[in-house]
Amino acid sequence: MQEQLHDTGRFATQSASKYLQQLCKHFGHKIDVRYDASSGECALPVGPAKLRAEDDALVVEVTAQSEEGLTRARAVIDNHLVRFAFRENFETMDWEGLAAAS
């Protein structure tokens, strides 16, 4: 079985729940999603993304089979948040970096 890779991104914002729901609603037009006001899961083509709204941040964990897939997953999240969080001058999540998932 191939090892899963993951990365966790953090976006400091007071609107985490709003962005979580906006991302999930948007992705739900093309992929399977499950979400509520505080958490969500999106079946991205490269692997699952788990979203969590905290009081002061949106946290997203992406999983993929390869570094290329992880890069694509991060870009999907970042590119959508650039549009959704433009009022906060969003550029990119604070990604922790590549890690192997057990």
Side-chain angles (χ1 to χ4, degrees):
M1 188 164 127
Q2 188 172 358
E3 187 175 36
Q4 294 279 310
L5 304 174
H6 74 262
D7 195 359
T8 302
R10 185 174 187 83
F11 169 34
T13 178
Q14 297 298 309
S15 301
S17 177
K18 172 184 148 184
Y19 295 134
L20 180 151
Q21 293 177 70
Q22 201 170 7
L23 284 166
C24 289
K25 282 179 191 174
H26 180 78
F27 293 152
H29 295 292
K30 293 191 176 188
I31 61 173
D32 289 336
V33 298
R34 178 206 59 76
Y35 69 96
D36 57 29
S38 61
S39 67
E41 291 184 30
C42 302
L44 297 178
V46 297
K50 294 181 181 177
L51 297 81
R52 184 175 74 248
E54 297 180 348
D55 290 340
D56 61 352
L58 174 63
V59 179
V60 179
E61 182 178 324
V62 292
T63 303
Q65 296 285 331
S66 67
E67 288 186 43
E68 179 186 334
L70 215 50
T71 298
R72 283 201 318 262
R74 286 188 289 244
V76 165
I77 300 298
D78 284 342
N79 292 339
H80 283 82
L81 281 172
V82 163
R83 287 184 273 161
F84 297 154
F86 67 93
R87 288 178 188 88
E88 296 189 46
N89 298 313
F90 176 87
E91 291 181 19
T92 182
M93 295 199 76
D94 181 14
W95 295 101
E96 290 179 357
L98 177 69
S102 51

